[in-house]
Amino acid sequence: MTDQTPYVPPRVWTWDSESGGTFASTNRPIAGPTHDKPLPVGKHPFQLYSLATPNGVKVTVMFEELLAAGYDAEYDAWLINIGEGEQFGSGFTEVNPNSKIPALVDRSGPEPVNVFESGAILMHLAERFDAFLPAAGPARTEVINWLMWQMGSAPYLGGGFGHFYAYAPEKMEYPINRFAMEAKRQLDVLDRHLANHEWMAGGAYSIADMAIWPWYGNLALGRQYDAGEFLSVHEYEHVVDWAKRIDARPAVQRGKMVNRPSGDPAGQLRERHDASDFELRTQDKLDAAE
Ligand SMILES: N[C@@H](CCC(=O)N[C@@H](CS)C(=O)NCC(=O)O)C(=O)O
């Protein structure tokens, strides 16, 4: 409890654009574009517009896994800097009216297909290549169960726990307690499941692992919100083991780098247009060439 005057909601909510917090400058209560900006289009059949957040990394890991497995999944990955409001450009909003990364345009067929929502993108690619998602039967259902679990659960981790623990303008006990409890409950759901499953679903590495790992794997490895100690993530040892197994995959190491505009320059590949970009166009190399 605080000794501040308690907040009493007014009869009608109005927008306070000065409300503070990390995303205050871009969050708005309305949808639609704020400015004209067509999207760039590269040479490959798949055009990805994204950023290396957990939702973005799911998709770049999937592309890199498909390529590593020998599928013809070449893609251009363009950076959308959400901190600068690029998700509200007219071109991006046409592809994803919800103005959130990741968004994909599949140009491999006769007409371009817009795909948004990271889970939908994973399913679209899995079905397009018949990979990382069983074609039918109980194994397919299991993968979709866990994919949908992730899509429904992570907003409590990111928008709930992460927001109040890391991004809100001040630390507030009630929401941090509420969402820390939920984040730990979700980790326990995973831990109990992974105690007797090598992979999340269907008996093999799948889009369910790719969806869950960037959120909960990184959390268990202490990389999300600097909250490893606070949430005692070491207690979830099956999640930690599974997260390490996935982290060791070369395709995951590459996928994590794509559309990353900050951090270690050697780990940033802001745009990806060719497999050789991982060797030749990481930010440290581009900086050195200037
Ligand atoms: N359910 C969506 C969530 C996407 C999402 O929340 N993206 C965030 C980054 S992780 C974003 O673009 N935020 C920009 C904004 O809210 O303006 C998905 O899984 O694709």
Side-chain angles (χ1 to χ4, degrees):
M1 297 298 282
T2 70
D3 51 10
Q4 287 172 350
T5 314
Y7 168 65
V8 179
R11 280 176 65 81
V12 177
W13 183 85
T14 51
W15 180 30
D16 171 11
S17 62
E18 307 289 309
S19 64
T22 301
F23 298 107
S25 61
T26 54
N27 287 171
R28 306 173 304 151
I30 50 169
T34 55
H35 59 283
D36 261 350
K37 191 174 181 200
L39 288 174
V41 180
K43 61 183 182 216
H44 295 306
F46 297 98
Q47 300 296 307
L48 178 67
Y49 303 96
S50 195
L51 179 72
T53 67
N55 288 322
V57 165
K58 291 175 199 173
V59 177
T60 48
V61 164
M62 175 65 165
F63 271 117
E64 293 301 325
E65 292 284 8
L66 286 167
L67 289 166
Y71 294 98
D72 183 15
E74 271 297 344
Y75 68 110
D76 290 281
W78 304 94
L79 182 65
I80 300 292
N81 196 331
I82 62 175
E84 291 177 9
E86 290 180 356
Q87 69 276 35
F88 301 113
S90 54
F92 189 88
T93 315
E94 272 165 37
V95 176
N96 182 359
N98 197 36
S99 286
K100 304 221 183 251
I101 66 90
L104 175 74
V105 183
D106 177 350
R107 295 176 168 271
S108 65
E111 293 293 332
V113 179
N114 295 338
V115 198
F116 62 89
E117 286 294 319
S118 56
I121 296 173
L122 292 178
M123 280 188 70
H124 179 84
L125 292 172
E127 287 174 350
R128 168 77 175 65
F129 291 102
D130 195 10
F132 302 114
L133 172 65
R140 179 183 175 87
T141 304
E142 275 178 30
V143 171
I144 293 174
N145 288 346
W146 282 105
L147 179 66
M148 296 299 155
W149 176 87
Q150 186 282 316
M151 294 296 288
S153 300
Y156 293 99
L157 175 57
F161 174 73
H163 181 83
F164 287 104
Y165 187 74
Y167 303 139
E170 58 192 86
K171 305 285 178 229
M172 288 168 270
E173 188 177 350
Y174 177 79
I176 290 175
N177 270 345
R178 171 80 183 84
F179 291 114
M181 181 182 70
E182 175 61 8
K184 285 183 71 79
R185 190 193 68 81
Q186 294 177 354
L187 282 167
D188 196 38
V189 170
L190 292 173
D191 202 57
R192 288 165 191 253
H193 181 73
L194 288 165
N196 43 32
H197 294 84
E198 184 183 7
W199 304 110
M200 282 308 308
Y205 178 63
S206 75
I207 56 172
D209 298 283
M210 291 180 219
I212 294 169
W213 180 82
W215 284 102
Y216 298 92
N218 277 326
L219 184 67
L221 296 176
R223 298 173 183 163
Q224 284 276 79
Y225 314 119
D226 208 8
E229 187 180 359
F230 183 68
L231 295 176
S232 306
V233 294
H234 64 278
E235 288 173 1
Y236 307 99
E237 52 190 68
H238 304 294
V239 184
V240 172
D241 288 350
W242 163 87
K244 285 184 181 160
R245 278 204 300 284
I246 295 183
D247 197 45
R249 295 176 72 88
V252 172
Q253 288 297 319
R254 287 194 297 279
K256 286 197 308 195
M257 293 168 66
V258 178
N259 294 148
R260 185 170 295 282
S262 59
D264 174 8
Q268 293 179 40
L269 183 59
R270 294 186 185 180
E271 285 188 7
R272 187 268 185 217
H273 303 290
D274 192 87
S276 66
D277 291 350
F278 291 100
E279 299 303 322
L280 305 176
R281 300 189 64 79
T282 52
Q283 202 53 36
D284 55 334
K285 303 223 169 91
L286 294 183
D287 290 345
E290 267 178 12

